[in-house]
Amino acid sequence: MESSTSSPPLTQSDPLEVFPRRTLEAGDIAVLILYFLFVLAVGLWSTVKTTRDTVKGYFLAGGNMQWWPVGASLFASNVGSGHFVGLAGSGAAAGLSVTAYELNGLFFVLMLSWIFLPIYITGQVTTMPEYLRKRFGGNRIPIILAVLYLFIYIFTKISVDMYAGAIFIQQSLHVNLYLAIVGLLAVTALYTIAGGLAAVIYTDALQTLIMLIGALILMGYSFAAVGGLEGLEEKYFLAMASNRSENSSCGLPREDAFHIFRDPVTSDLPWPGILFGMSIPSLWYWCTDQVIVQRTLAAKNLSHAKGGSLLAAYLKVLPLFIMVFPGMVSRVLFPDEVACADPEICRKVCSNPAGCSDIAYPKLVLELLPTGLRGLMMAVMVAALTSSLTSIFNSASTIFTMDLWNHLRPRASEKELMIVGRVFVLLLVLVSILWIPVVQASQGGQLFIYIQSISSYLQPPVAVVFIMGCFWKRANEKGAFFGLVLGLLLGLVRLILDFIYAQPRCDQLDERPAVVKDVHYLYFSMILSSVTLITACAVSWLTEPPSKEMVSRLTWSTRHDPVVQKEQVPSATPPPLTLSQNGTPEASSTNIQFEMVQENMSKTHSCDTTTKQSKVVKAVLWLCGVENKGKEQAPSRVDPIIVSLEENPLVKTLLDLNLIICISCAIFLWGYFA
């Protein structure tokens, strides 16, 4: 009732009308539609061009990707619409400090291809839980991880990107939020289901290009509006809402806004936390997360994977300039809306009493850009949303199929695994849509703080287990399991406390318990990593060492070991059938099972599957990439992805030189803004 009485004043005091009726015009909508047709064409082209009817073809793009789509896909998978809205919003609210996440990631994407990938390649693995199953044996750790990964994907990545995309689409098109999201998810799921990883990687490459062009144009307009970086440094500290109460510190710009390194006790991102606490979740994300590692495993060879990582690392320098600075510009240009300090006014401006910094980027797009370019930027935001969602859908279905379904049904045929992977994507879409009201209800201003804190509470124990598995031969299953469980329990306790005791607004008294109030989430990440490490080391020392085949070719020091001819893959549940005649020693347990089951399936069912089949069934099977054309032929074997670590000496030298240049650039940026 109050809202109806308070709406007329809102139209009179025009400055508070966040999104003037100036919406997308006909030219913008034409650009949007053309863009969508273009993306679908690229998706369908890659669908036809690549192999989708084998597990390796669908989940690993056939393992023959060049360095440039791998690099573009790494960047696009990482930078979703959550980045545009979140980084620009944090820039508007608190200055440069949030850039630390981007510059930190730059080092770890390089670490992935130079240090971790050679271990994954010699271990011949497709998913991260599979690596742990081979390295530690047993099924306890891989299953805990598979479930944890799916949890992290659904409740952090998917929900954040959808919330951010929703802010953008709802405000610029004035359509119903659910309609916009359901349409987006439908397009996204359609080409993920139809094309597998190849479609995802090719469309990522296209979208990265469009994203960068659009964001760079907007950066130019933004800097022109405030008079360059010098103008921004002067005006940012004067950007306060006119409706701010004088005797309160709420809504004031931070004094350390242009520094990345901040006070270790009182600041929003303490510098020891940035150096040490942030690095562990960063290592988890870039070196052990399925979404990212899957892209490098799809490369032709190790050199192409390294080239892709280098491209992604160079691109990681850009978010500071195309997202954080424009967010700060938005505060300068629209202080009353973006920097609003009064909870009631904020509620009118963006229906969020905690603050409206999240509208910084959409505000710039709608106010600064001319017709046509606005349509392009909308396309960019939609591109960012679909690319990160497709990446997550594909990787989550890989984990579910290879690690959980394959464990429940070891004799599942390749056809069954392909269909289960697709059906699981549809299930994820449903869960995502049901999660939207929760995302909407959670305070938008706090959503990104929650994402970073969830990462700091759940990811360090997993990262520590991977580090120990890769670099310490003595680490065994019991040590890893107890370290992981203790770490995850502690993280969950802190996570639940964070949800119970929400962060108070600027004008409220902070009455949270000391463990929540005084221990910053990045410091908690350091504590968690130490507890996991000490527990895992102690238990590993006190129990028996792992067997030779659990270490051979699965750690950094043993990656060049000769291939051991072994009878069976160590696992708590032995493969149900004997090894196939071709006897590939380094094939993984899932590969061996795919091979054998495929042989059986093709022998027993080749006759009855090719008989009468309705056109509808044929169409559905084609969409799932499971056609019957090859059933009479010998079954396609699932070969290793990248088989050797050998590189052309000249190419290797060039890549190593580039690595040094890239790291030097990153250190310069750290030093300049720290």
Side-chain angles (χ1 to χ4, degrees), residues 402-422:
M402 304 296 216
D403 293 303
L404 296 177
W405 193 260
N406 215 47
H407 179 66
L408 294 170
R409 287 179 53 81
R411 291 168 181 269
S413 65
E414 176 147 341
K415 186 172 178 177
E416 180 186 324
L417 289 168
M418 299 300 298
I419 291 170
V420 165
R422 263 87 169 186

Side-chain angles (χ1 to χ4, degrees), residues 420-583:
V420 165
R422 263 87 169 186
V423 171
F424 185 70
V425 171
L426 294 176
L427 209 111
L428 272 183
V429 172
L430 278 175
V431 173
S432 312
I433 292 172
L434 294 174
W435 186 247
I436 293 170
V438 185
V439 177
Q440 244 186 324
S442 68
Q443 293 193 335
Q446 306 306 311
L447 188 70
F448 296 96
I449 295 170
Y450 278 147
I451 296 319
Q452 285 151 9
S453 55
I454 286 174
S455 304
S456 300
Y457 304 151
L458 297 181
Q459 294 165 4
V462 185
V464 169
V465 166
F466 269 97
I467 292 169
M468 291 182 66
C470 290
F471 301 105
W472 190 40
K473 292 196 288 188
R474 185 66 179 73
N476 64 15
E477 199 267 350
K478 289 188 178 73
F481 176 75
F482 286 110
L484 184 66
V485 168
L486 183 64
L488 285 176
L489 283 175
L490 281 175
L492 277 171
V493 168
R494 171 69 198 255
L495 183 64
I496 292 163
L497 285 175
D498 257 22
F499 275 109
I500 295 171
Y501 300 101
Q503 189 172 349
R505 290 201 308 267
C506 164
D507 55 345
Q508 293 174 329
L509 193 66
D510 193 344
E511 294 176 334
R512 296 175 297 168
V515 69
V516 179
K517 182 171 65 175
D518 300 332
V519 182
H520 192 277
Y521 60 85
L522 290 177
Y523 287 150
F524 192 81
S525 162
M526 291 158 69
I527 296 167
L528 212 50
S529 306
S530 310
V531 168
T532 308
L533 188 68
I534 292 163
T535 308
C537 287
V539 176
S540 290
W541 271 120
L542 297 171
T543 49
E544 70 285 347
S547 63
K548 191 171 188 293
E549 61 255 29
M550 284 184 188
V551 177
S552 176
R553 295 175 76 79
L554 289 165
T555 69
W556 177 255
S557 57
T558 60
R559 68 192 188 285
H560 295 304
D561 282 10
V563 180
V564 184
Q565 201 82 18
K566 50 186 180 234
E567 293 304 309
Q568 70 175 69
V569 179
S571 165
T573 51
L577 305 165
T578 54
L579 242 163
S580 55
Q581 297 85 354
N582 51 32

